Amino acid sequence: MHVFQRRYNMSALIKEIKKMEAGPQLVTAEGWVRTKRDSKTVCFIELNDGTCLKGLQVVADKEKFDNNLLSSISTGASIVCEGTLTESLGSDQAVELSASKITLLGEAPESYPLQKKRHTLEYLREIAHLRPRTNTIGAVARVRSTMAYAVHKFFQENGFYYVNTPLITASDAEGAGQMFQVTTFDLDNIPKTEEGKIDYSKDFFGKKTNLTVSGQLEGETYATALRNIYTFGPTFRAENSNTKRHLAEFWMIEPEMSFCTLEGDMEIAQNFLQYIFKYTLEHCEEDMDFFSKFVEPGVKDTIIHVSESPFVHMTYTEAIKELEKSKDKFDYKPFWGCDIQTEHERFLAEEICKSPVIVTDYPKEIKSFYMKLNEDGKTVRAMDVLVPRLGEIIGGSEREAGLDLLQQRMKELGLREEDYWWYLDLRRFGSVPHSGFGLGFERAVQYVTGMQNIRDVIPYPRAVKQADF
RNA sequence: UCCCUUGUAGCUCAGUCGGUAGAGCGGGUGGCUGUUAACCACUAGGUCGGCGGUUCGAGUCCGUCCGGGGGAGCCA
């Protein structure tokens, strides 16, 4: 990126101005006032436009400016400053803007909710429309955007096509949790059949529909046509879960690869995570330093380490053996066949492996119907990527490619074949081994930034009893 | 949904054994100063989350409802 390049009618971004050298040319800076400090003859304004963490110091000689103008420039006000860049006498910045002209665009009276002091993240959630103007949420927003770009960049550069799977779905049986129903019915006057049941034939789609809980099944259809695809879009879960790592509306990334077995799946998952981590470290250095200093001490070093070291591999059976050695530490005693609890996941990643770990070959009973059965008849070709601090960040598998085996599995679980006719067609016509995984985007942002609560890494969190703004 | 915890000034919190409230920051005013979480002084600002109960008296004890946080389950 060229620092001096002008875009459309925009003046230079503050992140670019800060990299310029002192000189006689006029520079214009626009932004919001973070804080103002007065001295006898000069006034210091820290101006931030959100393009970087630390703002530009604007220095206004009090003799040159109307006192009313300077006094109305308070924290939160929006201003335009024109002047020349000079070498700063202060030690916290290389250059500063010596203002020759300041225009107040919008004042911010004392009722402005953001003070020039630390606020709790809980309070900031109540003013979600203003919180991106804070250091922390601004940094999260920049990192989130950078990570989203890295996601596309990784897949686009590695032979994947971006597929948009539907958000509204008629398949009610994906089994991945409670769904939000979509209807245009007047809920006070719902059409009923003669038997008194809801008459969905009169609803908008002529059948019962919900918001998607996963684009995977539709993703598989495009993977078995374009070879490698990925989805990256919103996902909805109506579960009544109240935790710091669940949302009712979140963004999920789901790659799906044809002619790919579980081994390839694991390799891509690791390379993918490491790529977006490295890309973010490279492009968000200032923000990562901030997170590492104030949000989660050492998170930057952790991400550097994780982006360079191979992940540990372990089968479910091996993982249970390891957990049984320390069973006294757990509320839920581990045994072969049990679900791996959050406490187990974290112990595996944090204590046993001290790094991300990929656990594979889970008992079929605790995994989804579409996962490929191993030859032992008991386990499936599933993999979960567990990371320290968070637990599961990726869940994936090699898909069952055999029609008979898939039909048998669905029968065992009471799934109706007619609901999945098109999914089964993929096994009827040109079936191939294929694999994929799902990554919760917000969880990845949490992991990279060290933010404790998922509601602080998405602009407007939707959760149980929470849909403001 | 369950368990724990919390709700006091604009924000963050203190408030002892039940006797109707304090600090820091922020705001305002004044002072000082090339400042950078600026500093110093003064000042304004409160239905103590709502409702009900116990008591001579409730921020404090009890019940209940609502909101916040943490943990669990479910999962991404």
Side-chain angles (χ1 to χ4, degrees):
Chain A
M1 182 184 295
H2 301 289
V3 167
F4 298 99
Q5 178 188 350
R6 289 181 69 87
R7 295 166 193 75
Y8 310 103
N9 61 344
M10 291 159 66
S11 54
L13 309 176
I14 284 180
K15 70 169 175 182
E16 296 166 346
I17 294 172
K18 282 170 61 190
K19 289 183 200 153
M20 295 178 187
E21 311 236 317
Q25 71 276 20
L26 274 185
V27 173
T28 302
E30 301 155 316
W32 295 269
V33 176
R34 282 293 175 81
T35 168
K36 187 183 72 175
R37 293 172 294 272
D38 276 308
S39 119
K40 189 170 190 176
T41 55
V42 289
C43 177
F44 299 96
I45 298 163
E46 187 180 332
L47 193 64
N48 190 291
D49 68 353
T51 56
C52 53
L53 185 77
K54 189 163 186 341
L56 174 72
Q57 172 154 287
V58 176
V59 185
D61 192 334
K62 280 182 166 178
E63 287 183 357
K64 291 187 199 160
F65 292 94
D66 177 34
N67 199 37
N68 288 333
L69 173 71
L70 291 181
S71 63
S72 60
I73 294 173
S74 56
T75 299
S78 50
I79 60 173
V80 182
C81 301
E82 199 178 273
T84 55
L85 279 183
T86 54
E87 284 181 29
S88 180
L89 302 176
S91 55
D92 288 5
Q93 57 276 321
V95 291
E96 60 194 17
L97 187 74
S98 295
S100 50
K101 186 181 170 194
I102 297 178
T103 311
L104 177 67
L105 295 180
E107 58 184 345
E110 63 183 72
S111 56
Y112 182 58
L114 290 172
Q115 304 172 355
K116 50 180 180 184
K117 58 171 282 192
R118 268 195 69 144
H119 287 295
T120 59
L121 293 165
E122 292 79 22
Y123 171 67
L124 294 178
R125 262 171 241 155
E126 296 170 9
I127 47 167
H129 59 309
L130 297 172
R131 66 176 184 167
R133 299 189 191 184
T134 63
N135 284 340
T136 304
I137 303 300
V140 167
R142 286 185 294 272
V143 167
R144 184 181 168 110
S145 169
T146 302
M147 288 177 71
Y149 182 65
V151 166
H152 284 292
K153 200 160 147 56
F154 174 84
F155 287 124
Q156 295 288 334
E157 289 174 0
N158 284 282
F160 287 70
Y161 292 102
Y162 179 39
V163 172
N164 300 118
T165 51
L167 301 187
I168 297 172
T169 173
S171 64
D172 187 19
E174 291 175 35
Q178 291 284 106
M179 301 174 95
F180 288 100
Q181 192 172 343
V182 175
T183 179
T184 52
F185 279 155
D186 173 0
L187 297 185
D188 293 321
N189 185 21
I190 298 172
K192 298 281 176 63
T193 60
E194 285 175 8
E195 300 91 65
K197 293 188 172 167
I198 296 170
D199 187 0
Y200 282 109
S201 71
K202 297 212 166 57
D203 204 351
F204 187 90
F205 295 105
K207 57 177 70 170
K208 189 178 181 185
T209 51
N210 297 291
L211 293 179
T212 184
V213 292
S214 166
Q216 182 201 313
L217 303 191
E218 289 90 345
E220 285 185 45
T221 66
Y222 269 68
T224 51
L226 304 182
R227 182 146 187 168
N228 301 319
I229 65 96
Y230 68 105
T231 71
F232 186 2
T235 310
F236 307 90
R237 304 270 168 99
E239 228 105 53
N240 185 11
S241 61
N242 203 315
T243 79
K244 59 181 181 179
R245 35 177 221 292
H246 285 87
L247 290 167
E249 176 184 289
F250 63 100
W251 287 66
M252 192 152 63
I253 297 145
E254 294 181 291
E256 191 73 32
M257 297 79 71
S258 284
F259 310 100
C260 178
T261 62
L262 187 69
E263 284 68 28
D265 203 26
M266 290 192 287
E267 190 184 347
I268 290 165
Q270 175 181 324
N271 289 349
F272 166 66
L273 281 177
Q274 291 184 327
Y275 179 88
I276 60 175
F277 292 166
K278 271 185 199 150
Y279 189 86
T280 307
L281 286 165
E282 267 172 42
H283 292 84
C284 297
E285 197 180 357
E286 187 186 25
D287 293 323
M288 288 305 295
D289 286 336
F290 174 82
F291 291 122
S292 216
K293 196 171 173 189
F294 295 112
V295 174
E296 171 75 22
V299 67
K300 187 182 171 188
D301 291 335
T302 304
I303 301 301
I304 290 172
H305 174 74
V306 165
S307 69
E308 288 167 348
S309 329
F311 296 178
V312 176
H313 289 195
M314 198 179 263
T315 65
Y316 170 88
T317 305
E318 289 164 350
I320 292 295
K321 274 184 196 155
E322 287 293 333
L323 291 170
E324 280 176 334
K325 288 181 195 165
S326 309
K327 62 182 169 201
D328 294 342
K329 294 180 178 169
F330 302 118
D331 292 334
Y332 292 86
K333 305 300 172 209
F335 59 91
W336 201 97
C338 77
D339 251 323
I340 294 194
Q341 307 287 324
T342 301
E343 61 176 344
H344 302 148
E345 291 177 352
R346 293 190 51 176
F347 189 81
L348 281 171
E350 288 167 17
E351 306 291 332
I352 296 176
C353 303
K354 294 186 176 20
S355 88
V357 51
I358 307 182
V359 179
T360 60
D361 302 293
Y362 286 77
K364 65 178 178 182
E365 287 77 14
I366 60 173
K367 287 293 179 184
S368 302
F369 76 94
Y370 49 72
M371 296 186 179
K372 182 180 171 65
L373 194 65
N374 273 315
E375 288 183 0
D376 62 13
K378 295 191 297 187
T379 58
V380 290
R381 302 245 75 192
M383 65 132 185
D384 284 356
V385 179
L386 314 178
V387 297
R389 202 173 73 236
L390 276 186
E392 182 181 343
I393 193 170
I394 278 181
S397 69
E398 181 172 344
R399 320 307 189 188
E400 184 57 71
L403 180 63
D404 295 348
L405 287 165
L406 189 56
Q407 284 171 320
Q408 189 190 318
R409 198 71 192 104
M410 290 174 63
K411 207 172 182 179
E412 287 169 14
L413 294 169
L415 299 175
R416 302 192 318 170
E417 269 193 37
E418 53 266 43
D419 289 338
Y420 294 89
W421 66 273
W422 52 271
Y423 187 66
L424 290 166
D425 266 4
L426 303 182
R427 280 73 181 170
R428 288 191 183 98
F429 309 120
S431 186
V432 293
H434 61 291
S435 303
F437 60 83
L439 169 75
F441 184 54
E442 284 77 15
R443 293 227 178 134
V445 178
Q446 263 190 289
Y447 186 60
V448 168
T449 59
M451 295 293 287
Q452 297 290 314
N453 196 310
I454 198 165
R455 297 174 191 204
D456 299 322
V457 298
I458 188 167
Y460 295 100
R462 269 79 182 96
V464 183
K465 299 272 194 296
Q466 167 72 65
D468 292 332
F469 301 100

